[in-house]
């Protein structure tokens, strides 16, 4: 069960940081910075959804911003540096794709000719950045979680109102970061070996039949296709619409003469 921890010591430029991946409509989404994990997700922190006109007026009065004025249903971005201005200087570390723990284990049992083996694996302590929400694509299908968006006071405190070509609410932020922990049954094999006293009668030393499966189930809170994001490097943990790993069933037999 490996424990993983990394910290960027020296990036190698004068600033000590660099913006890395970006995505349409959200801006920079990953970053390298001395003293922090490499890479990490980069964006705004949020404090829920503005629920009514009074909250919107109070928010607009409290902060200067180059963003469009907030209205009910909009995201409440956090003034991280406390200067009274909501702008790119408030972007910060909002998660990481590298897990704290990766694990895997095998289980097996055998009784007479029947045998079963299973391999489980997963991760703990990582997040997934959902980079599939494109505001620049005006005509597109949307995931089912969009049905839980804000449609009136009290309806949602996470997913903002739906607006086509929304240039405000889908800036890179912790709204796009989700728990990436998962637990998966990666492989399962059930087999049966016929007794030799039967098979030797027909000149067979060993006859085994088996049923095997891959990726049979996954326990995760992530709403995307697959929490096991295959991207690495600067895109570690960023889901650009990863194709899910297939569930595969195999039936076969082995004969030894």
């Amino acid at each position: 069960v490996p424990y993983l921890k990394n910290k960027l010591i020296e990036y190698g430029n004068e600033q000590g940081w660099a913006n890395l991946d970006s995505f349409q409509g959200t801006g920079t989404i990953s970053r390298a910075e001395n003293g922090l994990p490499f890479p990490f997700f980069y964006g705004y922190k949020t404090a829920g959804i503005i629920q009514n006109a009074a909250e919107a007026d109070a928010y607009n009065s409290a902060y200067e911003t180059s963003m469009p004025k907030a209205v009910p249903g909009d995201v409440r971005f956090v003034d991280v540096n406390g200067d009274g201005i909501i702008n790119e200087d408030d972007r910060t570390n909002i998660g990481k794709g590298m897990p704290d723990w990766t694990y895997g284990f095998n289980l097996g049992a055998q009784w007479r000719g029947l045998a079963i083996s299973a391999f489980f694996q997963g991760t703990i302590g990582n997040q997934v950045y959902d980079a599939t929400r494109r505001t620049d694509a005006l005509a597109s299908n949307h995931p089912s979680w969009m049905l839980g968006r804000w449609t009136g006071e009290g309806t949602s405190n996470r997913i903002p109102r739906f607006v086509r070509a929304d240039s405000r609410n889908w800036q890179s932020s912790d709204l796009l970061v989700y728990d990436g922990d998962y637990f998966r049954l990666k492989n399962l094999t059930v087999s049966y070996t016929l007794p030799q006293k039967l098979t030797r009668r027909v000149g067979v030393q060993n006859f085994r039949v088996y049923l095997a499966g891959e990726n049979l189930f996954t326990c995760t809170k992530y709403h995307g296709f697959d929490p096991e994001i295959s991207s690495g490097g600067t895109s570690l943990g960023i889901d650009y619409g990863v194709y899910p790993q297939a569930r595969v069933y195999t039936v076969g037999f082995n004969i030894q003469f």
Side-chain angles (χ1 to χ4, degrees), residues 35-68:
L36 294 174
F38 176 86
F40 61 87
F41 305 144
Y42 185 62
Y44 293 100
K45 289 189 175 182
T46 64
I49 303 299
I50 296 171
Q51 297 294 322
N52 52 50
E55 290 184 11
D57 290 342
Y59 184 81
N60 291 328
S61 298
Y63 302 107
E64 296 180 25
T65 182
S66 58
M67 298 179 184

Side-chain angles (χ1 to χ4, degrees), residues 98-111:
M98 176 174 288
D100 295 330
W101 299 90
T102 60
Y103 63 89
F105 59 92
N106 290 287
L107 295 176
Q110 188 169 349
W111 181 74

Side-chain angles (χ1 to χ4, degrees), residues 108-249:
Q110 188 169 349
W111 181 74
R112 295 184 178 179
L114 184 65
I116 182 171
S117 64
F119 174 60
F120 299 87
Q121 51 97 219
T123 64
I124 299 173
N126 59 299
Q127 290 81 44
V128 174
Y129 189 108
D130 183 1
T132 60
R133 173 75 172 96
R134 290 185 52 174
T135 58
D136 62 322
L138 298 183
S140 63
N141 291 326
H142 295 284
S144 60
W145 54 260
M146 187 61 74
L147 295 172
R149 68 191 184 278
W150 187 92
T151 56
E153 186 169 354
T155 53
S156 175
N157 201 38
R158 177 177 173 86
I159 305 173
R161 65 194 178 103
F162 177 75
V163 182
R164 298 182 70 182
D166 190 339
S167 62
R168 182 189 188 279
N169 292 313
W170 296 101
Q171 298 291 310
S172 181
S173 75
D174 55 15
L175 294 183
L176 299 170
V177 177
Y178 294 85
D179 187 344
D181 296 358
Y182 72 90
F183 172 72
R184 169 170 285 166
L185 175 55
K186 191 69 176 177
N187 301 105
L188 176 68
T189 302
V190 179
S191 64
Y192 180 71
T193 302
L194 272 65
Q196 287 186 337
K197 65 180 181 180
L198 296 178
T199 59
R200 286 178 177 175
R201 293 179 183 178
V202 293
V204 174
Q205 294 294 320
N206 185 279
F207 184 86
R208 173 178 171 266
V209 295
Y210 65 88
L211 172 65
E214 299 178 27
N215 303 311
L216 294 181
F217 73 81
T218 303
C219 297
T220 182
K221 294 180 180 179
Y222 182 54
H223 61 218
F225 291 141
D226 194 338
E228 190 175 355
I229 306 299
S230 58
S231 60
T234 63
S235 301
L236 183 65
I238 299 175
D239 183 4
Y240 288 109
V242 60
Y243 192 85
Q245 297 187 61
R247 182 176 297 157
V248 179
Y249 298 97

